[in-house]
Amino acid sequence: MQYNVTVIGSGPGGYVAAIRCAQLGFKTAIIEKYDTLGGTCLNVGCIPSKALLDSSEHFINAKEHFKEHGIDIPAPKVNIKQMIKRKEDVVKSNVDGIAFLMKKNKIDVLKGTGSFIDKNTIKVTSSDGKETQVTTDKVIIATGSKPTPLPFAPFDKKRIISSTEALTLTEIPSHLIVIGGGVIGMELGSVYARLGSKVTVVEFLDSLIPTMDGTMGKELQKVAKKMGMDIYLGHKVTAVENKGKEVVLKAEAKDGKVLELKGDYCLVSIGRKPYTDGLGLDKVGIETVKGQIPVDDHLKTNVDNIYAIGDVVRGAMLAHKAEEEGVFVAEQMAGQKPHINYLLIPGVVYTWPEVASVGYTEEQLKNQGRAYKTGTFPYKALGRARASMDTDGLVKILADKQTDEILGVHIVGARAADMIAAGVTAMEFRASAEDVARMSHAHPTYMEAVKEACLAATANRPLHI
Amino acid sequence: MAIQIKVPTVGESISEVTIANWLKKDGDVVKLDEVIAELESDKATFELTAQSDGVLKILKQQGTTVPIGETICEIEPGAAQAPQPPKAPATASTPQPQKTESKVSGGIKEMKVPAVGESITEVTISTWLKKEGDFVKLDEVIAEVESDKATFELPAEATGILHIVAKEKETLPIGGLICKIEITGESPVTEPQEKKETAVSASSGGSDKSYAAGHPSPAAAKILSEKGIPANQVQGNGVGGRITKEDAVKAQPSTTKPAETKAQPSQAAPVISSGGSRNIRKEKMTSLRKTIAKRLVSVKNETAMLTTFNEVDMKPIMDMRSKYKDQFKEKYGVGLGFMSFFTKAVCAALKDFPAVNASVEGDEIVYHDYCDISIAVSTPRGLVVPVIRNAELLSFNQIEGEVVRLATKGRDGKLSIEEMTGGTFSITNGGVFGSMLSTPILNPPQSAILGMHNIVERPVVKNGEIVVRPIMYLALSYDHRIVDGRESVSFLVRVKEMLEDPGRLILGV
Ligand SMILES: Cc1cc2nc3c(=O)[nH]c(=O)nc-3n(C[C@H](O)[C@H](O)[C@H](O)COP(=O)(O)OP(=O)(O)OC[C@H]3O[C@@H](n4cnc5c(N)ncnc54)[C@H](O)[C@@H]3O)c2cc1C
């Protein structure tokens, strides 16, 4: 078959690129080696993790908060099999949705591993070994990423597990050790902490979610401790060993003290690495750099007709970043000139309370030597938060000292993930803190905390504190 | 012992150089490989580096011309340990030799107008793409600079905060100071810092200036990029002067931004002009415009220019073109236009009348055995004339390909100086704008230019009958000093004959 555009990989980068290409009138094919579409995000990432986070959230509410709300029920029990099954149903309905979108947009779905023969020819090898070939004018590589193992302790998928296995456990661990206090570790750690596991997080750096604003990490640490998690910061893991029934971890603190932990599972969530195995990049002369496919500002590789997007290229490994890049590349191919403002790609952690940010962190502004001011507002002072008993958290606004332009929005608190969109909008239009403070925010909502933090940033004049 | 520094061999055929600038003074302590002087030949400028650490003794002064191999200064090595002469404050009274080189000093990079090409002595800053106080990255394009020949992009020579010295539309000599970059190394700010919003009134009039004035919304940014209009040329009507989607949709590309004379709706109604605007607007001429002006006047004054006319029946060419244009396009990927026919005809006629392809150089006439045809392309910045080299050797498709390539580059302001110099004859087509007849001006030092015009159906007499034919008037302006009337008229007749009977183009008759 002959196509205008062939997309390799059907994650959020790939399938969105394919849809946009089809909308723009390109004859489009998408190649996916797994049975279902949707990539990491829909199958073993964003969607299933959120499904379990929501289920475990309901459980903890029933167990700990119903009573205070005046709902008496017998002590609830976790049915892990049902929980996992519901998660699988959620995944199925989502991946079926993608299959429908492909059909609707007349995109040919080719099942199998895509591999370059030359820059215009791709071989697709299906799981039963059958080979077909497609020719194409342009190619978008969206092959995503895979979990990074510890160099000295590869995933055995039994005791030493990655996020993928953590999403399909059939028992509740009695002690889950999480290596890496980043987004994935904290999210999956919270799932099991709520379901009753003892959870211990070992992080190499001195803060949780270290890439986010320092205040966020500190707040999250408080909440995690409240949940009963043990957190060891500044610890370097030196050994992890599967002893059959248990796993033993050794870590070293900065002062040389050795920490030894025994648990039944060890989740290694130290990052993800770009995935290009079997893609045949050597056939077209693309060389990866630290696993990533190098691209220019147009997301073009060193080969003229080949583009790459999502986790397999530089930048944050986030589904919505991959999606933006998919649209960007497709529109560019149609001669349009879209933009992506990478500074304004929000980051979210779906713990409870959630953490969400956009723009610069305070640390970045300090390093830049930029004159800024800060406005914060705690959830505790918010009527809406008291009503729902979600009083943990705060909103932090960073604004330029002279112009009052908002430079960063950082939220830790209930519904932060949904609220951050308002921060992105404000920053895309380069709103000042006072601009936001002067817009009417419905009462009572969590968003009022943003308005109040903006008042605080503008001239330190919040109303409700 | 003092090390003698001699003028190095800088290139074949260069026998002498002029000391353009001493960057160090007599008695200065210099370091190995430090640039101490700039030397200039008739071809280019070179830097002279110190061949050792030590104290400089200048033997030949600035401005002197010295042969290759001659000693121009000495460096006394032992003295390098001598205390560094006190820096700037102490020497402030003695005028520093003017540096033409960009230099890093104390974290400030001074950016000067680079030597952009032979014969270019000054440039005009056409647009600042970055604002005062912006953070700029090394090699990021910060301004567009215009000379009389072309437009250049000016890349930042360091990473840091931009301090603008030369304003937009200002003209600077080569070596003139354009801006300073306060080197910070890494990105402190990505957005310009201006002063705080002044208007905090309830009115959200489009004109209140704020730090965000001229900031396009995401949709507006995309639309502007697609139209190729820089945001700084668009009046933002959103809050605080932001550029809204509607502003971007309505924006028109223009090189000079008119001062937005928006008609008041109330004034638009009356047809009888009573209170109409009496505004005038003054704008500085760009270097390109100034050069055009200077050249045109000098051509009128210094040549004996006159014009001869003729007309061409375009039917044969048009028939031929409609017959083969699809095949041509399919085979070569370019359209079959009229330019290839005219260029071929002109080249053939130039062979027969070499004076038309010649130029005057002092007391001599320079004849060219090749035909480098300049084609006039109108661009938003003015007329440019890129050259089709050795057009006499090119096939129709090659000519068409060149025309498309050069015209596109011209319109995008991307033509290099080489691409615009050295033509031996010019063709200009006023017909694209609807001109019926005109007297083109010579493109010096060339001595003739062919003017094409619009094709109009006119009644003509053929074999004693009046028929309707597509006619184009042709004009040939020529320098009567070296081209005689017989030659110019015959040349144009020859061109006409070949166009009316394209078979002649093949047979060369
Ligand atoms: C547990 C977890 C939770 C996450 N939660 C979030 C979240 O809440 N929000 C968020 O924004 N991001 C989240 N992420 C990250 C997000 O999943 C990724 O950023 C996103 O999936 C990247 O999209 P992609 O299109 O680049 O690649 P992927 O989604 O990784 O898709 C790549 C696809 O390409 C296929 N493929 C690879 N090679 C070939 C080949 N040669 N031939 C054919 N097919 C091939 C793969 O099978 C895969 O389906 C999470 C990740 C994990 C692991």
Side-chain angles (χ1 to χ4, degrees), chain B residues 325 328-330 332-336 396-398 400-401 404:
Chain B
K325 69 170 194 272
F328 189 88
K329 171 102 193 178
E330 196 166 304
Y332 298 114
V334 289
L336 177 59
F396 278 66
N397 63 299
Q398 286 170 323
E400 294 293 349
V404 170

Side-chain angles (χ1 to χ4, degrees), chain B residues 364-402:
Chain B
E364 289 174 327
I365 299 177
V366 183
Y367 290 98
H368 304 98
D369 290 340
Y370 53 87
C371 304
D372 279 1
I373 307 296
S374 307
I375 49 166
V377 178
S378 138
T379 75
R381 292 180 175 84
L383 198 72
V384 293
V385 271
V387 182
I388 302 180
R389 305 272 167 211
N390 283 101
E392 80 279 11
L393 301 177
L394 300 184
S395 58
F396 278 66
N397 63 299
Q398 286 170 323
I399 293 174
E400 294 293 349
E402 274 295 279

Side-chain angles (χ1 to χ4, degrees), chain B residues 102-125:
Chain B
S102 303
K103 295 230 78 175
V104 184
S105 59
I108 303 272
K109 177 95 188 169
E110 295 194 340
M111 285 187 50
K112 311 230 167 124
V113 180
V116 281
E118 284 177 52
S119 85
I120 292 177
T121 54
E122 56 173 35
V123 300
T124 303
I125 311 287

Side-chain angles (χ1 to χ4, degrees), chain A residues 20 331 335-339 341 343 360 364-365 367-371 373 400-407 427-435 438 458, chain B residues 131 186-197 200 210-228 239 242-244:
Chain A
R20 190 71 187 115
E331 290 185 347
Q336 301 184 11
K337 295 196 170 164
H339 294 231
N341 188 347
L343 175 66
Y360 293 113
Q364 283 171 325
L365 292 178
N367 282 340
Q368 294 169 9
R370 183 149 185 188
K373 45 191 189 165
D400 186 281
K401 194 156 193 174
Q402 278 106 51
T403 64
D404 197 34
E405 177 178 0
I406 298 176
L407 302 175
M427 289 189 66
E428 277 284 7
F429 286 88
R430 298 190 58 189
S432 65
E434 184 177 352
D435 287 332
R438 290 194 177 279
T458 304
Chain B
K131 289 203 283 299
E186 84 182 278
S187 156
V189 217
T190 52
E191 308 299 351
Q193 271 176 277
E194 268 167 39
K195 53 183 180 351
K196 187 174 165 65
E197 272 170 287
V200 200
S210 78
Y211 65 88
H215 175 73
S217 77
K222 175 168 181 281
I223 293 165
L224 290 179
S225 303
E226 284 164 8
K227 287 187 172 180
V239 175
R242 285 169 178 79
I243 298 170
T244 63

Side-chain angles (χ1 to χ4, degrees), chain A residues 7-16 30-50 53 110-116 122-125 141-147 162-164 166-167 183-185 187-188 269 271-273 275-280 309-313 316-323 325 345-350:
Chain A
V7 182
I8 308 179
S10 71
Y15 85 74
V16 166
I30 191 164
I31 305 175
E32 173 55 58
K33 66 176 182 184
Y34 287 136
D35 293 339
T36 55
L37 302 177
T40 304
C41 176
L42 273 75
N43 292 286
V44 292
C46 334
I47 297 297
S49 62
K50 265 83 263 179
L53 277 157
L110 313 174
K111 289 273 167 71
T113 301
S115 170
F116 283 104
I122 297 166
K123 180 175 72 183
V124 183
T125 314
I141 302 174
T143 48
S145 60
K146 287 268 182 281
S162 73
S163 57
T164 306
L167 291 167
V183 178
I184 294 177
E187 289 186 3
L188 292 174
S269 48
R272 296 177 60 81
K273 57 173 198 294
Y275 181 73
T276 53
D277 292 1
L279 196 51
I309 59 173
D311 282 6
V312 82
V313 302
M317 289 194 173
L318 291 169
H320 43 280
K321 177 253 189 189
E323 292 185 30
E325 292 183 333
I345 299 213
V348 176
V349 191
Y350 291 84

